[in-house]
Amino acid sequence: MTTKTLTVGEREVEISSADKVMFPDDGITKLDLARYYAQIAPIALPHYRGRPVTMQRFPDGIGADGFFQKNVPEYFPGWIERVALPKEGGTVTHAVIGEAAALVYLADQGCITPHLALARAPAPRKPDRMVFDLDPSDNDFGKVQEVARAVKDALDARELPSFVAATGSRGLHIVLALDASVDVDRLRPFARGLAEEVAAAHSALATTEQRKAKRGDRVLIDTFRTAYAQTAVAPYAVRARAGAPVATPLRWEEALAADMAPDRYTIASIFRRLGQIEDPWAGIDNNPLDASRLVEDS
């Protein structure tokens, strides 16, 4: 196995076993993954900065078992930002991605997919994101789109602008940008109530039933991320699936288009897309919602 060194900003990041194949069906190596994260960093970093990271690691590639890791190993270099957050019985120390080199270093560690906290480190109980995760029970993405439209309509009726992303897996994420002014426990009734409203109005398509055995072929409107220390897949993160699909922010008209698929964009195609349109989430933090409005609406 070879070792390569990438110059990322002012840092030199060593990629060990650079030719290790991480995606067996596609021949994508660890070096390919590291180079992807170096290239996507200027667009992705505004979405990452200040957020504790949970690493989804596949040291031997996606053909072998992976695992989720929150705690930063002791051997991580000192320049990787860290934040210690409380958990039951102690604390957990997360990495925080503040620069492109950190993303590349995580790729060297076999972190294919970073998952980001929905609250930034200075206020871990006050999220600036609310996520409605549309999780299908089958591979009918058309149903996901119908439910997404219904959720968007319910938010629009409340004058709550929303953002949308393809997860790179099977579903969509619908996201509200908040001003981080309200404790997450006070936001949960709104998220749950809106999901139940949509599910009741579209009972043949949507459900809030967490147990798979009771969902049938309906789309789960998952609001369980509205809780302390929850995460969502990072924008522009690579998913551990054949083809190396990328979690991709979309414009609403794209998300609902007949030719859309949740894994449409990959590390082989995402830069062509970004050469044609600006990141649809580029202004997501420009006008955050007053989170107290959600408490009043619940």
Side-chain angles (χ1 to χ4, degrees):
M1 292 288 182
T2 59
T3 297
K4 296 286 187 180
T5 300
L6 296 184
T7 301
V8 187
E10 297 181 354
R11 302 195 190 278
E12 301 286 312
V13 182
E14 194 172 87
I15 309 300
S16 62
S17 302
D19 53 354
K20 178 183 285 185
V21 176
M22 303 297 283
F23 292 79
D25 293 341
D26 308 284
I28 296 169
T29 66
K30 191 198 285 190
L31 181 61
D32 295 327
L33 183 70
R35 284 173 169 162
Y36 166 78
Y37 277 116
Q39 188 175 355
I40 201 67
I43 294 168
L45 281 178
H47 304 302
Y48 289 44
R49 287 193 178 100
R51 298 187 186 280
V53 177
T54 296
M55 299 173 282
Q56 189 177 8
R57 297 177 64 183
F58 293 83
D60 295 312
I62 68 170
D65 290 339
F67 58 94
F68 287 89
Q69 182 172 359
K70 294 184 177 182
N71 264 313
V72 175
E74 291 184 2
Y75 62 80
F76 270 34
W79 54 264
I80 298 285
E81 293 182 44
R82 296 159 167 81
V83 62
L85 298 179
K87 68 171 186 177
E88 187 174 353
T91 61
V92 57
T93 300
H94 292 263
V96 178
I97 298 172
E99 58 178 299
L103 263 179
V104 174
Y105 182 83
L106 263 59
D108 173 62
Q109 299 301 304
C111 176
I112 290 177
T113 312
H115 297 255
L116 302 178
L118 303 182
R120 299 187 194 255
R125 293 200 59 87
K126 294 182 177 180
D128 65 349
R129 297 285 186 270
M130 177 179 285
V131 174
F132 296 88
D133 178 10
L134 306 189
D135 182 14
S137 300
D138 55 29
N139 292 319
D140 186 350
F141 186 62
K143 287 190 293 192
V144 177
Q145 291 174 306
E146 289 186 64
V147 176
R149 189 187 301 275
V151 173
K152 181 180 187 300
D153 288 346
L155 293 168
D156 287 349
R158 294 166 168 82
E159 298 184 346
L160 299 173
S162 57
F163 295 80
V164 64
T167 62
S169 180
R170 298 196 306 152
L172 292 170
H173 281 176
I174 299 172
V175 178
L176 300 183
L178 309 178
D179 65 356
S181 64
V182 173
D183 187 277
V184 67
D185 289 343
R186 297 177 63 208
L187 296 172
R188 192 176 301 116
F190 170 82
R192 182 72 180 179
L194 187 134
E196 289 175 344
E197 173 190 312
V198 172
H202 303 272
S203 58
L205 285 173
T207 181
T208 58
E209 177 56 63
Q210 187 174 11
R211 288 168 290 185
K212 290 185 177 180
K214 292 194 173 183
R215 291 184 209 165
D217 61 358
R218 294 175 294 175
V219 176
L220 171 65
I221 308 174
D222 182 348
T223 60
F224 302 109
R225 286 175 172 78
T226 304
Y228 175 69
Q230 292 298 300
T231 66
V233 62
Y236 300 106
V238 181
R239 304 309 302 266
R241 297 166 62 89
V246 171
T248 305
L250 302 171
R251 296 172 295 192
W252 265 110
E253 59 268 27
E254 294 178 296
L256 301 178
D259 63 348
M260 183 50 65
D263 57 355
R264 174 172 176 174
Y265 296 103
T266 71
I267 65 171
S269 64
I270 190 66
F271 293 107
R272 183 166 62 251
R273 166 182 170 76
L274 291 171
Q276 296 168 345
I277 70 165
E278 184 183 24
D279 171 20
W281 286 18
I284 192 170
D285 291 314
N286 290 351
N287 295 291
L289 293 167
D290 178 355
S292 65
R293 287 181 56 194
L294 308 187
V295 177
E296 295 165 2
D297 193 85
S298 59

